[in-house]
Amino acid sequence: MRADGVKTHDVVGIGFGPSNLSLATALDELGGESGGPAIDAVFLEKQPALGWHRGMLLPGAKMQISFLKDLVTFRNPASPYSFVSYLHAKGRLAAYANRNEFFPSRREFHDYLEWVEARFTKYVTYDSEVVSVQPLRDDRGRVDQLRLHVRETGSADTTRVVQARNIVVSTGLVARMPDGIGHGPGVWHSSEYLTRFQTLDAARVRSVAVVGAGQSAAEIARHVYDNLPDADVYAILSPLGYTVADNTPSPTRSSTRPPWTTSTSPPTGPRTPSGTTTATPTTPSSTTS
């Protein structure tokens, strides 16, 4: 059964972070190249705006991946949505090249994502949470469409219907705390680090423990050390030291090697910020240290 008067889209993307933003660029370019009708795609995002690890946009923090691993370059090096196109549009391409930079800062890459997202705002509805997906069947009993029930953020009871022939789910990762550790006034996940750090009364903080061995944990430990000079900073990690992100060949090495090379030192791959930050104020109610 179809909902009366509800348009059926070719594609509905659930979530609008880097993955579905990359999909939007691909569908846009595919429609233009084919010469046929444009692909009817819309996206639904629970957040009020595009946000990519906002809690970890620390000053000076660098990406672990090359700028060539942007939204589009591996798919289409000539895409108008590439990081190089972003630098050119901002008038910064020559300056960036002269700096001999291969790894952009987190803030710079986030600005790039917002630059691309601005081209697709009319296809995205923010503050929209998909609460259920219902299959719709044709006369032969085959699923040929999907009905999505969408709730506006902050509205507990009211939902609207969106229909699609295809859906792409890209809602991102969920913060995970160590077993037995819950969120609290002094216990945070790295994904919310900057937001929570800005609420601290720095004069009252005497000790901070950073749990984790990835890039995010290292960046947080350094940020705390630099910004809370009177606090003791403890780095708690299970390996012997901080570890690089995905160092396996699959995401970083080509299947073929140029004949003039004899060895390869692959760059590190992407990694989701991880680690738990414990900030302990000097109040009697605090039970963590």
Side-chain angles (χ1 to χ4, degrees):
M1 181 179 179
R2 306 295 191 261
D4 294 337
V6 176
K7 178 181 179 180
T8 299
H9 301 280
D10 294 327
V11 178
V12 171
I14 303 176
F16 202 60
S19 293
N20 268 348
L21 181 55
S22 179
L23 173 64
T25 67
L27 293 177
D28 180 66
E29 293 178 32
L30 179 63
E33 292 172 357
S34 66
I39 298 172
D40 177 19
V42 296
F43 299 87
L44 304 168
E45 170 57 54
K46 182 179 178 179
Q47 296 188 92
L50 176 73
W52 177 75
H53 301 318
R54 288 189 180 275
M56 283 301 297
L57 298 181
L58 301 175
K62 294 279 189 178
M63 298 283 291
Q64 288 181 286
I65 59 173
S66 160
F67 69 88
L68 294 174
K69 291 186 177 181
D70 57 13
L71 297 172
V72 298
T73 296
F74 280 20
R75 174 182 58 81
N76 178 15
S79 171
Y81 302 114
S82 69
F83 187 77
V84 171
S85 295
Y86 154 78
L87 292 174
H88 183 268
K90 295 287 186 176
R92 295 174 40 235
L93 180 57
Y96 191 90
N98 289 337
R99 294 205 321 258
N100 198 27
E101 288 283 353
F102 212 62
F103 305 101
S105 70
R106 288 182 187 266
R107 290 183 173 182
E108 189 170 39
F109 198 78
H110 194 280
D111 189 62
Y112 157 66
L113 295 177
E114 291 181 321
W115 176 78
V116 176
E117 184 270 346
R119 317 279 189 92
F120 296 95
T121 52
K122 66 179 180 180
Y123 304 111
V124 187
T125 304
Y126 290 102
D127 287 319
S128 297
E129 179 185 7
V130 177
V131 294
S132 67
V133 178
Q134 173 189 357
L136 301 178
R137 301 181 182 275
D138 62 16
D139 295 337
R140 298 183 181 181
R142 298 175 300 186
V143 176
D144 66 339
Q145 293 185 29
L146 298 158
R147 178 179 298 164
L148 292 75
H149 295 270
V150 184
R151 179 173 58 206
E152 292 186 6
T153 303
S155 176
D157 302 320
T158 305
T159 62
R160 59 188 176 90
V161 171
V162 177
Q163 288 186 179
R165 297 181 181 89
N166 306 276
I167 64 173
V168 179
V169 181
S170 181
T171 53
L173 300 177
V174 178
R176 183 176 62 86
M177 302 290 281
D179 293 340
I181 303 296
H183 285 82
V187 183
W188 322 327
H189 188 270
S190 62
S191 59
E192 56 184 342
Y193 172 71
L194 269 184
T195 303
R196 298 290 293 271
F197 184 85
Q198 292 166 356
T199 66
L200 282 180
D201 182 355
R204 299 176 62 209
V205 179
R206 291 294 176 264
S207 64
V208 177
V210 183
V211 182
Q215 177 183 352
S216 297
E219 290 173 349
I220 289 174
R222 178 57 188 266
H223 185 264
V224 171
Y225 182 82
D226 290 343
N227 290 274
L228 298 177
D230 296 328
D232 294 325
V233 182
Y234 301 91
I236 302 174
L237 49 159
S238 55
L240 295 177
Y242 290 108
T243 57
V244 296
D246 191 359
N247 199 32
T248 57
S250 54
T252 53
R253 292 182 184 171
S254 172
S255 58
T256 59
R257 182 180 298 176
W260 58 84
T261 62
T262 57
S263 64
T264 301
S265 298
T268 57
R271 179 184 177 94
T272 301
S274 61
T276 304
T277 304
T278 304
T280 307
T282 56
T283 56
S285 60
S286 176
T287 59
T288 57
S289 61

